[in-house]
């Protein structure tokens, strides 16, 4: 896979982190109103393992953090859930001397299907998650043999489909594992392919979740 030299000589300035913090603070202040409307909401955190599909390096060797906030509205057969957070994706080789790190703000809409509502034998604690994700890139770095450069080779936006499973671990905690894949190339023929492993903690829960 060929990449151009850094286009901005390491002088990239980004201010998206502050914008994300403001958004999170606004959300946390809005929680009492959400609770009154029978919403669930809270924080999630975990990690991603990813690769760039289409390059010469196979394997989910790029590991990065993932964290953010979510709100969920429960219905009879499905939950409607929206997540806003940060995730690092990219590509790396198995010996860690090559790494592309792509930092994104993810906005994700999920349908959490409850199979036990129509299949009595299905465990009640398990939900099937399907949805769509729009990611805005906030930074991009290319590391090779210990030398790191800021680059801007990949698209600023990434639209993805995602699917996975979530398991209730208690009244206010669940574990989610899902896969996301770029629907449109992020550059030429290359697509982000990422696995998310998350713990989601509910600050509050509706009467029936």
């Amino acid at each position: 896979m060929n990449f151009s030299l850094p286009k901005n000589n390491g002088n990239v300035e980004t201010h998206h982190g502050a914008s994300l913090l403001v958004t999170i603070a606004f959300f946390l202040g809005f929680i009492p109103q959400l609770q009154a409307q029978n919403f669930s909401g809270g924080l999630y955190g975990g990690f991603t393992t990813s690769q760039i599909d289409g390059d010469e390096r196979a394997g989910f060797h790029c590991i990065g953090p993932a964290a953010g906030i979510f709100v969920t509205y429960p219905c009879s057969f499905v939950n409607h859930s929206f997540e806003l957070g940060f995730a690092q994706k990219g590509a790396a080789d198995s010996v860690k001397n090559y790494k592309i790190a792509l930092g994104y703000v993810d906005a994700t809409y999920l349908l959490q299907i409850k199979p036990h509502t129509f299949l009595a034998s299905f465990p009640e604690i398990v939900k099937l998650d399907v949805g769509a994700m729009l990611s805005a890139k906030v930074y991009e770095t290319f590391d090779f043999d210990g030398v790191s450069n800021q680059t801007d080779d990949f698209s600023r936006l990434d639209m993805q489909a995602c699917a996975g499973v979530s398991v209730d671990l208690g009244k206010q905690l669940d574990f989610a594992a899902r896969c996301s894949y770029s629907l449109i190339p992020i550059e030429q023929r290359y697509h982000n392919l990422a696995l998310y492993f998350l713990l989601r903690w509910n600050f509050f829960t509706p009467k029936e979740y």
Side-chain angles (χ1 to χ4, degrees), residues 2-115:
N2 297 320
F3 296 98
S4 61
L5 293 174
K7 299 177 181 178
N8 34 45
N9 299 317
N11 295 320
V12 175
E13 294 185 4
T14 57
H15 305 283
H16 298 78
S19 299
L20 180 58
L21 289 176
V22 170
T23 302
I24 292 174
F26 174 80
F27 171 84
L28 294 178
F30 200 60
I31 280 181
Q33 287 77 13
L34 292 177
Q35 187 174 17
Q37 298 299 320
N38 205 38
F39 280 85
S40 169
L43 302 174
Y44 70 85
F47 66 94
T48 66
T49 62
S50 60
Q51 61 175 297
I52 296 178
D53 190 28
D55 69 2
E56 299 173 354
R57 293 163 177 82
F60 294 88
H61 301 300
C62 186
I63 300 174
I69 57 179
F70 70 93
V71 292
T72 300
Y73 185 79
C75 296
S76 298
F77 302 104
V78 299
N79 294 334
H80 300 272
S81 189
F82 177 76
E83 297 176 350
L84 178 66
F86 169 83
Q88 181 178 288
K89 309 169 197 177
D93 61 13
S94 58
V95 295
K96 306 299 183 184
N97 65 350
Y98 165 99
K99 182 177 181 180
I100 299 171
L102 304 172
Y104 290 98
V105 172
D106 289 341
T108 308
Y109 170 72
L110 290 173
L111 278 177
Q112 296 185 309
I113 303 168
K114 306 174 186 178

Side-chain angles (χ1 to χ4, degrees), residues 1 32 34 50 57-58 63-64 74 93 111 121 137 144 157 159 167 177 179-180 195 201:
M1 181 177 179
L34 292 177
S50 60
R57 293 163 177 82
I63 300 174
D93 61 13
L111 278 177
S121 60
K137 188 178 71 176
F144 187 73
L157 293 177
M159 174 67 76
V167 180
C179 177
S180 69
L195 302 176
W201 174 48

Side-chain angles (χ1 to χ4, degrees), residues 48-51 85 87-90 102-110 130-137 155-163 178-186 190-196:
T48 66
T49 62
S50 60
Q51 61 175 297
Q88 181 178 288
K89 309 169 197 177
L102 304 172
Y104 290 98
V105 172
D106 289 341
T108 308
Y109 170 72
L110 290 173
V130 294
M133 179 189 303
L134 178 63
S135 300
K137 188 178 71 176
S155 173
R156 299 294 178 91
L157 293 177
D158 185 17
M159 174 67 76
Q160 300 141 84
C162 54
R178 71 180 70 123
C179 177
S180 69
Y181 188 81
S182 302
L183 298 176
I184 301 172
I186 57 173
Y190 306 119
H191 298 73
N192 274 321
L193 174 57
L195 302 176
Y196 286 70

